[in-house]
Amino acid sequence: MSSLNIVPLSPALGAQISGVDISQPLSQEQRDAIGQALLKHQVLFFRDQPVEPAQQARFAAYFGDLHIHPIYPNVPEQPEVLILDTAVTDVRDNAIWHTDVTFLPTPAMGAVLSAKLLPEYGGDTLWASGIAAYEALSAPMKALLEGLTATHDFTRSFPLERYGNTPEALAQWEEARRKNPPLSHPVIRTHPVSGRRSLFVNEGFTSKINELSETESEAILKFLFAHATRPEFTIRWRWQKDDIAFWDNRVTQHYAVDDYRPARRVMQRATVLGDVPFFR
């Protein structure tokens, strides 16, 4: 039996896990238990986990191949671990409800976020359950959305005017834009493991619903963005140094509250690639 202690934190999503040291290699039993907890709770929190980038990457890699972000700086000796440092990088795109890297053909399965330096107060992160949001929709609204697709665009969260201000940054942005043109994903996504359905649009990257007129798309997306982040579908985490959060990016979105300036906040993230979203 696994020695993990799992404490649910809210009805919609979230659980705190103890009884495991993420800095050490995990047994298959531990990996399986964490994977099952992620399926059930969608976002997992671990207190007091001081990890080096290589240890963080090793833990994340238990669950899939790792992504190297096209814009954010990374740890030089561990490029799969990106750095979110407010003293170095403009991270305003995190202060919006978003699902990570949905501009990819295979968006992230999940992400492992480690708190390295925190403000004295503020800097919380919220997560919202796309499963809870989908299940709360009326039957007619579900029927309308099923089978629709939406465009996801890299430039919505990484606009040229903020990420192309030097020759080096402009070259990096242009290369990222070339490699990540707008693409489409289903509005309702079926989880590839659990089979549960989830809303799969987010304000950070979703620009339009393809099968609707511009006016219809704007209205429906405005409704869905507001609906998906209703308080009853969310959880808010108050970080402590060396906390780790691990979330299922396929069925959640999140919002990093930008309320602590001019204090500094440093987080490190390892992103696990997923598969092509589908609906059935």
Side-chain angles (χ1 to χ4, degrees), residues 51-128:
V51 293
E52 297 298 322
Q55 296 167 334
Q56 183 177 354
R58 179 182 60 203
F59 173 79
Y62 288 142
F63 303 94
D65 295 332
L66 302 187
H67 176 245
I68 298 177
H69 200 277
I71 294 293
Y72 287 132
N74 52 33
V75 177
E77 66 275 16
Q78 197 71 54
E80 304 91 346
V81 177
L82 65 84
I83 303 169
L84 298 168
D85 183 347
T86 56
V88 176
T89 305
D90 184 344
V91 296
R92 276 179 288 168
D93 52 282
N94 286 281
I96 187 174
W97 282 104
H98 65 285
T99 300
D100 287 335
V101 296
T102 61
F103 56 80
L104 295 177
T106 55
M109 166 267 175
V112 178
L113 186 65
S114 176
K116 298 302 184 184
L117 180 67
L118 297 169
E120 182 179 357
Y121 46 83
D124 297 353
T125 303
L126 295 88
W127 281 263

Side-chain angles (χ1 to χ4, degrees), residues 16-31:
Q16 186 170 337
I17 293 187
S18 58
V20 63
D21 182 354
I22 288 175
S23 71
Q24 300 301 310
L26 301 188
S27 68
Q28 189 62 53
E29 181 184 25
Q30 289 173 313
R31 299 180 212 176

